[in-house]
Amino acid sequence: MTTRMIEYFHASKFGNGARVAKEIQKQLAARGVTVSVHHIRDANPRQLPPAEVYLFSSPGRMGKPIGSMRRFLKKVDLPAGSKYAILTTEMAPRPDKTGRVPSEEELVAKGQRVRPIMNEILESKGLVNIAEDTVHATAMRGPLEEGWQRKLQAFAACIAPGQDTAVEPHVDPSTTP
């Protein structure tokens, strides 16, 4: 049995992303997966270490990944076919005047496109998305949404279902019709 390796690159601004990175590292270690975590300011996107999966994490700002992450992803140099996953930290959706929380589709229609933009950049390089999800923050500096650790446990199971099992894609239930 070989040890699986994931390289995790995040752009935490207020600490939410760093907290998520630490937790996903712990969740994956419990599955026998080695995760090397890097803030993008300390990594060279043109010389990323070899890995089975690359995990990219960005906070959302004005409906997009922050600028430093977009620039990093545009410079990423990986072989076509490399597997990647996306895990974002974004503000929790706010209820409208009637108290209804907008759906994922409604948020995207209003310009909330953090994951779609990241996917567009990476897929244009021939990389293969195997999973994506979002952890919401209740305020800019946190705290994170209730149950965020369980959400990461499910995400970890999607990107590393077991040493002898192929990686299966994750579908975010909030985007399923």
Side-chain angles (χ1 to χ4, degrees):
M1 193 159 32
T2 59
T3 301
R4 297 179 68 188
M5 182 63 181
I6 294 177
E7 292 291 333
Y8 189 126
F9 299 92
H10 72 93
S12 181
K13 186 168 180 160
F14 296 116
N16 295 322
R19 191 167 174 203
V20 167
K22 186 175 181 179
E23 179 66 22
I24 200 74
Q25 185 179 37
K26 179 178 120 184
Q27 296 279 348
L28 287 165
R31 300 177 149 281
V33 178
T34 301
V35 179
S36 183
V37 177
H38 317 270
H39 193 286
I40 60 170
R41 71 174 166 253
D42 302 323
N44 180 344
R46 299 190 197 283
Q47 296 178 341
L48 300 183
E52 184 175 341
V53 175
Y54 295 89
L55 180 52
F56 300 101
S57 180
S58 177
R61 184 166 194 274
M62 310 275 295
K64 299 177 183 176
I66 61 173
S68 58
M69 178 55 86
R70 290 194 312 271
R71 287 186 296 278
F72 183 86
L73 294 177
K74 288 176 182 176
K75 293 177 184 176
V76 162
D77 186 16
L78 292 169
S82 295
K83 296 176 185 176
Y84 75 92
I86 294 174
L87 187 56
T88 62
T89 52
E90 301 175 37
M91 287 295 294
R94 303 281 185 230
D96 64 15
K97 293 176 184 175
T98 67
R100 190 178 75 70
V101 176
S103 70
E104 181 77 16
E105 293 82 14
E106 292 168 325
L107 292 171
V108 170
K110 290 180 179 179
Q112 185 66 19
R113 297 188 18 86
V114 180
R115 288 181 295 159
I117 289 170
M118 293 173 73
N119 277 317
E120 288 168 14
I121 295 168
L122 295 168
E123 288 172 357
S124 74
K125 297 170 177 290
L127 306 184
V128 179
N129 181 347
I130 62 164
E132 62 182 69
D133 210 342
T134 297
V135 174
H136 290 113
T138 59
M140 193 172 297
R141 297 183 191 276
L144 297 172
E145 67 185 313
E146 186 175 319
W148 67 275
Q149 292 99 336
R150 286 187 310 279
K151 194 176 208 181
L152 291 181
Q153 188 174 24
F155 185 77
C158 289
I159 62 173
Q163 291 288 350
D164 301 321
T165 309
V167 175
E168 293 296 323
H170 168 66
V171 176
D172 182 352
S174 67
T175 62
T176 305

